[in-house]
């Protein structure tokens, strides 16, 4: 029996060296975000500080989701391995128990006499260390499974703290944006002309072409040229490209912009310094934010639930301009989704269009995107 057990391999699973490392690192990120939130209350530039805090929470929560996913995958693999080797493990335990009960007087009673006793002793001397090695590997796997389960249970509280923290940070950011008075303005929006333009517009192209007509007292000049930065601008929100320019949606409709899949309540920021040309509902795009980073170039962002700022304001790079919609998931649902092997939950979509000289441009020539999709 012992020889047969030794012949059975102990397979190594292709998993990260420490599946719990990402989850533990994420917990530290969430703790650091909580400290940033405390410091943001006294920061001179609260909007900038709170924007960084929300971003820190988003990064920490994303890392926690990914860490939990790895933990769940490793735990499931361990459970499957131990379950498939249940009979082998029972045999191993039986052999170890038998060896522990054997005493020297019993070995001396070997039917083959002293020679048989000697041979048995030599076999046991060879087999016992290997059996102990297998037993040690088994104990290590069982201990790892217990550790991963404990880590998942601890993550529930950490996730809840992080979700509460990011909700508080978003509320504080919305308040700080509303109280902000220090932004320069390039023009004043004519509300009547804006209403007429919206009512008479049937396409985004037509609306964009009439934007200059709704501005009064516009300051001359433009923000610095950013053409040299084409292809290196950060995306306005954390997410992945769901649909590229010119790709048809489920209804067969094609548009010149890209669709970015984001998580619920994701923060949307300016990719670079820009003037707000328009903010509000438009056509079938939902809430729209149109930014002008330089004369003749427009960034159109559509699908936000909350929009910040006012037309004419000049925003620094990285300024918050709104939040995506959707309901923030509970900690329990995130853990449950991770246990099922998921963890992305990017259920919201942000439409991004770039227009230069009122002609649509492929946004992927302006923004950094994952080319593999």
């Amino acid at each position: 029996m012992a020889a047969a057990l030794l012949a059975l391999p102990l397979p190594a699973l292709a998993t990260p060296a420490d599946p719990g490392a990402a989850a533990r690192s994420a917990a530290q990120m969430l703790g650091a975000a909580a400290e940033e939130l405390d410091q943001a209350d006294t920061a001179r530039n609260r909007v900038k500080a709170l924007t960084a805090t929300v971003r820190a929470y988003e990064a920490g929560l994303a890392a926690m989701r990914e860490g939990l996913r790895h933990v769940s995958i490793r735990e499931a693999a361990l459970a499957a391995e131990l379950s498939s080797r249940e009979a082998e493990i029972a045999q191993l335990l039986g052999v170890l128990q038998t060896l522990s009960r054997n005493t020297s007087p019993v070995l001396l009673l070997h039917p083959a006499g002293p020679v048989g006793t000697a041979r048995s002793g030599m076999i046991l001397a060879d087999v016992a260390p290997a059996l102990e090695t297998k037993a040690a590997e088994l104990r290590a796997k069982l201990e790892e499974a217990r550790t991963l389960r404990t880590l998942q249970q601890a993550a529930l509280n950490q996730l809840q703290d992080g979700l509460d923290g990011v909700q508080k940070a978003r509320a504080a950011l919305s308040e700080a944006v509303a109280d902000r008075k220090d932004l320069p303005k390039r023009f004043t929006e004519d509300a009547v002309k804006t209403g007429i333009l919206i009512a008479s517009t049937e396409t985004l192209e037509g609306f964009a072409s009439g934007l200059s007509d709704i501005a009064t007292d516009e300051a001359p000049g433009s923000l610095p040229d950013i053409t040299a930065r084409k292809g290196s601008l950060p995306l306005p929100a954390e997410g992945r490209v769901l649909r590229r320019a010119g790709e048809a949606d489920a209804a067969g409709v094609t548009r010149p912009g890209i669709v970015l899949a984001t998580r619920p309540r994701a923060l949307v920021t300016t990719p670079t310094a820009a003037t707000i040309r328009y903010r509000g509902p438009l056509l079938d795009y939902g809430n729209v934010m149109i930014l002008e980073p330089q004369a003749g170039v427009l960034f159109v962002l559509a699908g936000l639930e909350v929009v910040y700022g006012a037309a004419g304001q000049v925003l620094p790079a990285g300024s918050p301009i709104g939040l995506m919609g959707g309901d923030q998931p509970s900690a329990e649902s995130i853990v449950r989704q991770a246990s099922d092997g998921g963890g992305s939950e990017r259920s919201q979509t942000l439409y991004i269009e770039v227009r230069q000289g009122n002609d649509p441009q492929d946004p992927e020539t302006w923004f950094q995107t994952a080319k593999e999709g």
Side-chain angles (χ1 to χ4, degrees):
M1 183 190 299
L5 285 174
L6 290 176
L8 292 172
L10 206 75
L13 299 175
T15 55
D18 184 0
R24 286 188 286 267
S25 174
Q28 294 175 353
M29 293 174 68
L30 290 175
E35 293 180 6
E36 286 191 30
L37 181 57
D38 291 337
Q39 296 170 2
D41 289 337
T42 58
R44 181 176 179 181
N45 190 337
R46 290 191 71 236
V47 171
K48 183 177 181 180
L50 287 167
T51 300
T53 299
V54 173
R55 286 290 197 207
Y57 269 117
E58 288 183 341
L61 289 168
M64 179 64 77
R65 285 182 173 93
E66 186 65 14
L68 282 174
R69 189 175 69 85
H70 283 299
V71 165
S72 297
I73 291 172
R74 176 58 177 165
E75 185 187 25
L78 280 172
E81 179 190 351
L82 294 174
S83 177
S84 67
R85 302 183 63 198
E86 188 173 343
E88 176 193 344
I89 291 169
Q91 287 181 316
L92 173 60
L93 294 175
V95 171
L96 291 175
Q97 289 173 353
T98 300
L99 290 178
S100 66
R101 289 197 299 266
N102 282 341
T103 61
S104 296
V106 174
L107 292 177
L108 292 174
L109 297 178
H110 196 282
V115 175
T117 300
R119 287 175 177 171
S120 297
M122 293 172 62
I123 291 174
L124 288 174
D126 290 338
V127 170
L131 290 175
E132 286 295 340
T133 299
K134 281 185 174 291
E137 291 180 14
L138 173 60
R139 285 193 294 269
K141 289 180 183 294
L142 291 172
E143 181 60 30
E144 182 183 358
R146 283 193 292 268
T147 299
L148 294 177
R149 173 53 59 184
T150 300
L151 190 62
Q152 277 192 323
Q153 293 171 346
L156 187 62
N157 291 333
Q158 293 165 343
L159 271 172
Q160 190 58 60
D161 290 343
L163 293 171
D164 291 343
V166 73
Q167 188 171 359
K168 180 180 176 182
R170 287 172 183 146
L173 177 60
S174 297
E175 181 181 345
V177 169
D179 294 340
R180 183 170 52 185
K181 308 294 184 187
D182 58 346
L183 289 176
K185 291 195 71 172
R186 288 196 58 220
F187 65 86
T188 301
E189 180 185 26
D190 188 315
V192 174
K193 290 182 178 180
T194 299
I196 294 173
L197 179 61
I198 292 174
S200 61
T201 293
E202 296 183 355
T203 65
L204 180 59
E205 179 181 2
F207 184 80
S209 65
L211 280 176
S212 59
D213 298 331
I214 68 175
T216 61
D217 302 323
E218 183 164 0
S222 169
L223 290 174
D225 192 308
I226 61 168
T227 305
R229 298 177 59 196
K230 285 184 65 174
S232 63
L233 294 176
L235 286 167
E238 190 280 325
R240 62 179 179 83
V241 176
L242 185 65
R243 194 158 49 249
R244 303 191 184 283
E247 290 184 351
D249 60 18
V253 177
T254 61
R255 285 174 171 164
I258 62 174
V259 175
L260 192 69
T262 76
R263 291 195 174 92
R265 312 301 294 167
L267 179 65
V268 185
T269 58
T270 54
T272 184
T275 302
I276 299 178
R277 275 291 170 180
Y278 174 78
R279 53 146 279 187
L282 181 64
L283 301 173
D284 61 342
Y285 289 91
N287 268 336
V288 172
M289 177 72 72
I290 300 181
L291 304 173
E292 184 184 54
Q294 70 178 60
V297 176
L298 297 176
F299 293 160
V300 182
L301 310 176
L304 298 87
E305 180 172 288
V306 177
V307 286
Y308 300 140
Q313 287 181 335
V314 181
L315 305 177
S319 295
I321 54 175
L323 297 171
M324 299 301 295
D327 295 326
Q328 180 170 274
S330 66
E332 290 82 359
S333 68
I334 293 175
V335 172
R336 185 168 55 252
Q337 187 183 35
S339 299
D340 294 337
S344 61
E345 215 173 45
R346 292 188 172 98
S347 59
Q348 303 301 303
T349 53
L350 178 68
Y351 177 71
I352 304 172
E353 187 172 312
V354 177
R355 308 190 71 84
Q356 188 167 17
N358 208 28
D359 294 324
Q361 308 287 312
D362 185 349
E364 293 194 83
T365 64
W366 285 83
F367 298 101
Q368 290 179 324
T369 60
K371 296 300 181 182
E372 68 275 8

